[in-house]
Amino acid sequence: MHRYPPIADHGLIGDLQTCALVSAEGVVDWFCSPRFDAPSVFARLLDHERGGHFSITVDAPGTTVRQLYLADTAILITRFLTPDGVGEVVDFMPLAADPTAVSDRHTLIRVMRVVRGTVRFALECRPRFDYGRERHELLLDGDTARFTGSAVTAHLQALGPVPLRQDGTDVRAEVELTAGQRAAAVLTLDAPGAEPPLPATAESLRADFDGVRFFWHGWISRCRYRGRWQQQVNRSVITLKLLTYAPSGAPVAAATMGLPEQVGGERNWDYRYTWVRDASLSVRAMVDLGFTAEADAFRRWLGARLQAGGTVSGEPLQIMYRVDGDPHLSEEVLDHLEGWRGSAPVRAGNGAADQLQLDIYGEAVHAFAQARDLAQLVGYDGWLRFAATVDWLCDHWDRPDEGIWETRGGRQDFTYSRLMCWVAFDRAVQLALHFRRPADVPRWTAARDAVLLQVMERGWSAERQAFVQHYGSEVLDASLLLMPITGFVSPRDPRWLATLDAMDQDLVSDSLVYRYDPAASPDGLRGSEGTFSLCSFLYVDALARAGRLEQARYAFDKMLTYANHVGLFAEEIGPTGEQLGNFPQAFTHLALITAAMSLDEALDAALHGDREGDRESRG
């Protein structure tokens, strides 16, 4: 067993309030409860010795391991193929009767079964509460164990021939099964003092399994996508759903914290929060795919943030929040954790929450602009708050900020921030006119036009023949791949095509895209980073819109080869194709979906045009 498995060697399971990573060796090495941003229960991914884990493995010589999802579900199957037999561990988390109701109780079910021969499983359950900082007490009673911490209690139930043995304050077991036999370990976490879970039975586990399977099959059946990449889009949208906190409708950026953008580097951030940018840009994709309830739930959450105010930054919105809308995300360094493969510091919380990033207003307004009935979502009072925010932006858009990438190297006049301010004014004008709501439309229109003129004059470099990262710079930035997607420029505008060519030269390496060059544009952090998977998919989208279809499809097909064994992506791709950064990353999967839809549309249009041309030539 590897001390630190590759980041990509994991599958994701969850219950729409929290989630767990299961390694390809059968180890749960990341799990937080009672929600995504809670302190960890298992965090061996960040410290092999101190983090804690829940493993069910097979150590027989010559064992080959394979991992897969039950199709179109969040049920993960890890298969162990040994000379003496084939065994499987089936992992899933049952959903509550009402997943939108906040709950402290979350259950992880691990079923062992043998389909051929004889297999010997080894089980270890070693929780380490509060990121490994807190000791716990163990009460072992036959086939049940209780691990008690100050904020969380974990109940382990064993079914079948699973003889639990005490190992300090942890438990372990060895389980030998033959073909047709099953056993299970059920871990339930709850608040201290809560009623213990009901005894698990074979019948209750089967009902839980069927319930999870029926839920996911029913949910994904609503997906409207019927294009060329059905399997990849389905897995991506299921991943987005798994990373969305059902009680509020707010998605987190990733399941994890502290995984590095460079092995041994310091770019190790906590992504278990809701970024206004990422979540807002997901709205259009969710609507296009048919998941309007999810899109509406996030817009309600976003509207509530505008109404609540009280941001740490003092602005009407801040760039990220906790899933319940709490704006306080104090950052701390967990110096007792060594980090994945020694990548320290490990950070919990996110100090970038109080940064000024003006682009979020464009993404937020764009999300509202996708609403079927904005009045129903935010009401009249909500509209007044919305209009006041746009009025405020009219006075505050022309300022340096930290930019989309949350650099810690000082504020600049970032072109992307101006681009998204243009989007804010443009979509706000459309909303006011469409829904016939009171607004200072002339002022908003004037601000929109002023932004566009400024970007065209100061964000364009005649020397580079490209739009640049920030005013006065010659550095390129992949965030500007959103220019044609937002409608700021035509996808075949000469300035845009020249920018795309410049990006090909500076930022693209074998179809993979760097977000910018830190050496040319210092960001206040040491070290380098890999190519940004989000940007690589945005590049595909931009190529497709520009009519460069062969290049777009080749780039897309190559990007798909970097997915892990179950179709998941982290934030970045390293120099030798390894996945880096927090995992799985929602924004990457969102960009995959939008690239697939754009490329499908462009390929279909080209095919239709070819057929029309054939008919005309035949006369």
Side-chain angles (χ1 to χ4, degrees), residues 137-430:
E137 296 179 355
L138 170 69
L139 177 61
L140 178 61
D141 184 9
D143 57 3
T144 65
R146 186 179 71 207
F147 308 87
T148 303
S150 64
V152 178
T153 296
H155 302 266
L156 179 66
Q157 300 183 62
L159 281 79
V162 185
L164 297 179
R165 293 184 289 112
Q166 183 169 349
D167 183 7
T169 56
D170 306 317
V171 298
R172 61 191 310 158
E174 293 184 350
V175 185
E176 186 171 285
L177 302 176
T178 57
Q181 285 189 308
R182 296 176 180 237
V186 180
L187 185 69
T188 302
L189 293 98
D190 210 333
E195 287 292 320
L198 295 174
T201 64
E203 292 75 19
S204 69
L205 295 188
R206 183 69 208 190
D208 286 334
F209 176 87
D210 287 342
V212 172
R213 179 164 56 92
F214 292 156
F215 170 83
W216 287 108
H217 282 169
W219 186 79
I220 200 65
S221 69
R222 294 160 45 199
C223 183
R224 293 184 190 141
Y225 180 80
R226 296 294 182 269
R228 295 166 178 80
W229 297 281
Q230 186 77 54
Q231 182 177 350
Q232 292 87 348
V233 168
N234 280 6
R235 179 51 52 196
S236 289
V237 76
I238 287 172
T239 303
L240 291 179
K241 180 70 169 175
L242 279 170
L243 294 175
T244 300
Y245 185 63
S248 68
V252 295
T256 59
M257 56 174 249
L259 293 179
E261 298 173 16
Q262 178 188 29
V263 179
E266 68 170 335
R267 301 167 186 263
N268 319 316
W269 314 112
D270 190 346
Y271 275 19
R272 300 170 301 150
Y273 307 112
T274 300
W275 267 253
V276 168
R277 173 188 310 109
D278 305 26
S280 295
L281 291 175
S282 73
V283 166
R284 177 59 184 270
M286 297 302 280
V287 170
D288 288 346
L289 291 171
F291 298 106
T292 54
E294 286 76 7
D296 286 347
F298 171 71
R299 281 186 289 236
R300 281 191 290 269
W301 179 90
L302 183 58
R305 304 287 70 74
L306 275 178
Q307 293 269 42
T311 62
V312 174
S313 64
E315 309 281 327
L317 280 177
Q318 66 184 45
I319 66 172
M320 70 183 90
Y321 298 83
R322 294 187 181 275
V323 290
D324 61 357
D326 185 349
H328 301 284
L329 288 76
S330 299
E331 184 175 294
E332 62 176 324
V333 172
L334 305 179
D335 52 15
H336 64 288
L337 298 179
E338 71 171 7
W340 182 81
R341 298 187 180 178
S343 300
V346 175
R347 298 179 178 91
N350 200 305
D354 62 352
Q355 284 193 357
L356 176 65
Q357 296 180 24
L358 291 165
D359 68 281
I360 63 173
Y361 297 97
E363 287 113 6
V365 176
H366 183 68
F368 288 126
Q370 311 303 316
R372 295 164 297 171
D373 189 347
L374 188 68
Q376 181 179 344
L377 278 174
V378 302
Y380 179 71
D381 292 335
W383 172 263
L384 293 180
R385 179 61 180 169
F386 171 87
T389 302
V390 180
D391 288 338
W392 173 91
L393 190 61
C394 287
D395 294 325
H396 294 87
W397 65 266
D398 196 7
R399 293 183 290 166
D401 68 353
E402 273 89 4
I404 179 176
W405 304 125
E406 295 165 16
T407 61
R408 301 190 180 192
R411 294 181 177 181
Q412 299 285 351
D413 290 305
F414 285 102
T415 306
Y416 178 78
S417 296
R418 299 297 199 274
L419 160 68
M420 295 311 296
C421 286
W422 177 89
V423 170
F425 295 129
D426 181 70
R427 304 307 193 269
V429 168
Q430 294 177 25

Side-chain angles (χ1 to χ4, degrees), residues 360-546:
I360 63 173
Y361 297 97
E363 287 113 6
V365 176
H366 183 68
F368 288 126
Q370 311 303 316
R372 295 164 297 171
D373 189 347
L374 188 68
Q376 181 179 344
L377 278 174
V378 302
Y380 179 71
D381 292 335
W383 172 263
L384 293 180
R385 179 61 180 169
F386 171 87
T389 302
V390 180
D391 288 338
W392 173 91
L393 190 61
C394 287
D395 294 325
H396 294 87
W397 65 266
D398 196 7
R399 293 183 290 166
D401 68 353
E402 273 89 4
I404 179 176
W405 304 125
E406 295 165 16
T407 61
R408 301 190 180 192
R411 294 181 177 181
Q412 299 285 351
D413 290 305
F414 285 102
T415 306
Y416 178 78
S417 296
R418 299 297 199 274
L419 160 68
M420 295 311 296
C421 286
W422 177 89
V423 170
F425 295 129
D426 181 70
R427 304 307 193 269
V429 168
Q430 294 177 25
L431 284 170
L433 297 176
H434 178 74
F435 290 105
R436 299 182 295 279
R437 289 291 183 267
D440 194 347
V441 171
R443 186 183 185 206
W444 297 358
T445 303
R448 179 197 65 189
D449 295 346
V451 176
L452 187 142
L453 289 171
Q454 187 188 87
V455 169
M456 290 299 184
E457 291 174 4
R458 300 179 62 193
W460 170 260
S461 167
E463 181 176 340
R464 289 302 313 271
Q465 285 294 292
F467 291 105
V468 291
Q469 184 183 61
H470 58 80
Y471 298 168
S473 167
E474 301 298 322
V475 176
L476 303 183
D477 193 308
S479 65
L480 299 179
L481 288 163
L482 280 163
M483 275 186 155
I485 297 172
T486 61
F488 184 87
V489 295
S490 164
R492 304 192 188 193
D493 182 282
R495 284 194 178 194
W496 173 248
L497 293 179
T499 300
L500 200 53
D501 290 338
M503 287 185 180
D504 283 341
Q505 181 178 346
D506 281 21
L507 300 181
V508 180
S509 173
D510 190 29
S511 300
L512 301 178
V513 182
Y514 292 92
R515 53 183 179 171
Y516 59 92
D517 180 0
S521 179
D523 57 13
L525 298 166
R526 295 187 302 273
S528 60
E529 60 182 20
T531 58
F532 224 63
S533 296
L534 158 71
C535 298
S536 298
F537 284 121
L538 291 177
Y539 176 62
V540 170
D541 195 320
L543 289 173
R545 292 170 187 265

